[in-house]
């Protein structure tokens, strides 16, 4: 619950020439969180070595949970949500970053424990930042965002485990969403045969345009409850978790590899050890929030080489800052396709 001092700080005008707009999630006296759009000053920003003028942010699943109060994402209040941002360095005491440099940020608890990117300014430790690859504008970087960076980590994990295009089909669950859309695009670019799984079969033309060779409904997994199902896939990128992840594991080819990076269908895992000890299936967890900086820079370098800019634009929708909250509601309702970028004020 926010203290009286915190609430007063949020309402203090500050210096007129350093004001910026931000979404702020607060708690009232009863402990109920709510999101408000406030005008803040730079001296209210948290501690950090680098101050960034945020030019673009995005909406991810975590952001939607934080903005709507439908998930325990925020760890302290008041909080500026937004786990991603890209923009220009305005001030820096870190020698690795200079004024005027373009940078991006994903994760590190930003938008959960440290004020995030749904604001005109952000201040963070320099070690959290990644120089913007020359191949991308700040908008394009946010069209990828945490979702694209996580998808790249999944693809790299499949490659490290020896899954090649010759190994067989790769299945991608939640393919119409952010991680899934980018994963389909990347895998297809690398020559894999990709089966896209979606709860919205009306998105089949979209997924085929991204490179999917087959599109199947999410209900395909509905009746899969046996320890082992018919073996089909050599690799998998799963954003669902729950019973869907269990079914994916049960239907992998011998020595197949599953990368798990989401829990949209639940945190439970109603599976048996059969796929792992009878088919040699490998389950690889993908953790993107605190991924070492060297690995995230490598992922962004790979994205710069692989991403088709035209396809990236195809999967991206842009919203004004004023539409953040209603779009978050739509995202949680499964009514948002691909990626959403937000132009910050």
């Amino acid at each position: 619950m926010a203290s009286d001092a915190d609430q007063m700080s949020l309402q203090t005008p500050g210096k007129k020439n350093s004001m910026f707009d931000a979404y702020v999630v607060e708690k009232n006296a009863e402990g109920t969180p709510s999101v408000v759009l406030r005008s803040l000053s730079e001296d209210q920003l948290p501690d950090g070595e680098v101050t960034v003028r945020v030019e673009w942010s995005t909406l991810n699943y975590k952001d939607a949970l934080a903005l709507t109060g439908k998930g325990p994402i925020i760890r302290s209040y008041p909080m500026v949500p937004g786990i991603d941002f890209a923009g220009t360095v305005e001030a820096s005491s870190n020698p690795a970053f200079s004024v005027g440099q373009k940078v991006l940020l994903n994760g590190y608890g930003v938008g959960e424990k440290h004020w995030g990117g749904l604001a005109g300014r952000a201040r963070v430790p320099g070690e959290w930042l990644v120089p913007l690859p020359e191949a991308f504008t700040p908008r394009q970087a946010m069209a990828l965002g945490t979702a694209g960076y996580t998808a790249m980590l999944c693809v790299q994990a499949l490659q490290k485990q020896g899954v090649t295009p010759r190994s067989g089909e790769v299945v991608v669950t939640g393919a119409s969403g952010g991680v899934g859309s980018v994963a389909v695009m990347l895998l297809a670019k690398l020559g894999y045969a990709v089966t896209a799984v979606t709860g919205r079969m009306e998105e089949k033309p979209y997924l085929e345009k991204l490179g999917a060779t087959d599109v199947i409904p999410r209900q395909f997994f509905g009746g899969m409850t046996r320890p082992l199902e018919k073996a089909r896939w050599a690799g998998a990128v799963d954003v669902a978790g729950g019973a869907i992840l269990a079914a994916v594991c049960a239907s992998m080819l011998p020595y197949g590899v599953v990368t798990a990076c989401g829990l949209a269908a639940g945190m439970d895992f109603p599976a048996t050890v059969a796929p792992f000890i009878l088919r040699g299936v490998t389950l690889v967890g993908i953790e993107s929030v605190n991924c070492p900086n060297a690995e995230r820079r490598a992922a962004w370098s790979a994205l710069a080489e692989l991403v088709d800019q035209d396809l990236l634009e195809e999967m991206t929708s842009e919203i004004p800052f004023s539409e953040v909250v209603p779009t978050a509601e739509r995202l949680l309702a499964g009514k948002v396709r691909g990626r959403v970028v937000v132009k910050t004020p």
Side-chain angles (χ1 to χ4, degrees):
M1 179 175 171
S3 67
D4 291 341
D6 288 331
Q7 297 288 359
M8 186 178 297
S9 173
L10 287 171
Q11 297 171 25
T12 301
K15 296 179 181 179
K16 185 175 181 181
N17 63 0
S18 63
M19 302 298 289
F20 60 92
D21 288 340
Y23 281 97
V24 182
V25 182
E26 306 170 353
K27 277 188 175 180
N28 61 22
E30 288 72 40
T32 303
S34 62
V35 61
V36 292
L37 183 59
R38 291 199 181 279
S39 182
L40 306 179
S41 64
E42 287 191 21
D43 58 13
Q44 293 171 264
L45 288 169
D47 292 336
E49 301 164 312
V50 185
T51 301
V52 178
R53 183 176 77 252
V54 179
E55 297 166 14
W56 292 91
S57 187
T58 181
L59 281 183
N60 297 283
Y61 190 74
K62 276 187 176 180
D63 300 322
L65 290 174
L67 287 160
T68 61
K70 294 181 179 178
I73 296 300
I74 294 177
R75 309 298 177 84
S76 65
Y77 294 87
M79 178 59 57
V80 175
I83 66 173
D84 289 333
F85 64 78
T88 303
V89 174
E90 286 198 329
S92 175
S93 61
N94 185 312
F97 296 95
S98 57
V99 174
Q101 185 176 0
K102 298 290 185 181
V103 294
L104 63 86
L105 183 144
N106 312 113
Y108 284 115
V110 168
E112 304 174 61
K113 297 181 290 185
H114 187 100
W115 283 15
L118 287 172
R121 299 289 188 279
R123 184 176 293 141
V124 297
E127 65 206 45
W128 294 359
L129 294 168
V130 171
L132 183 73
E134 291 184 3
F136 299 131
T137 65
R139 183 186 186 279
Q140 290 168 332
M142 288 298 95
L144 290 162
T146 285
Y149 148 66
T150 301
M152 190 71 251
L153 291 177
C154 290
V155 172
Q156 289 176 321
L158 291 175
Q159 293 174 318
K160 288 176 183 177
Q161 293 291 329
V163 180
T164 71
R166 291 186 177 183
S167 302
E169 290 180 89
V170 176
V171 64
V172 177
T173 66
S176 299
V179 176
S181 291
V182 179
V184 170
M185 176 181 65
L186 294 174
L187 289 164
K189 181 70 175 292
L190 288 166
Y192 291 86
V194 184
T195 297
V197 181
T198 179
R200 294 175 285 165
M201 286 300 289
E202 65 271 18
E203 299 291 2
K204 182 178 179 180
Y206 161 75
L207 293 168
E208 289 175 336
K209 190 168 185 178
L210 294 182
T213 53
D214 192 13
V215 180
I216 61 177
R218 186 172 55 210
Q219 292 78 5
F220 175 85
F221 295 106
M224 290 189 177
T225 57
R226 294 180 297 178
L228 290 175
E229 298 286 348
K230 180 180 179 181
R232 176 169 177 180
W233 294 292
V237 174
D238 178 69
V239 305
I244 292 177
L245 174 58
V248 168
C249 290
S251 53
M252 298 300 292
L253 290 167
Y255 305 105
V257 179
V258 180
T259 58
C261 63
L263 43 76
M267 290 188 66
D268 58 325
F269 184 45
T272 73
V273 298
F276 312 111
I277 63 174
L278 298 180
R279 288 184 180 166
V281 171
T282 298
L283 178 60
V284 181
I286 303 299
E287 197 284 318
S288 63
V289 174
N290 296 299
C291 180
N293 197 276
E295 292 183 24
R296 64 178 66 220
R297 289 190 183 212
W300 276 101
S301 293
L303 286 168
E305 294 180 5
L306 288 173
V307 168
D308 182 311
Q309 301 289 7
D310 291 334
L311 288 179
L312 180 61
E313 187 61 31
E314 180 78 19
M315 70 174 70
T316 304
S317 58
E318 180 181 328
I319 62 169
F321 204 58
S322 59
E323 292 297 313
V324 163
V325 175
T327 306
E329 295 278 3
R330 292 178 53 243
L331 192 155
L332 291 184
K335 297 179 180 179
V336 172
R337 183 182 80 180
R339 300 286 295 136
V340 177
V341 292
V342 182
K343 184 70 177 77
T344 56

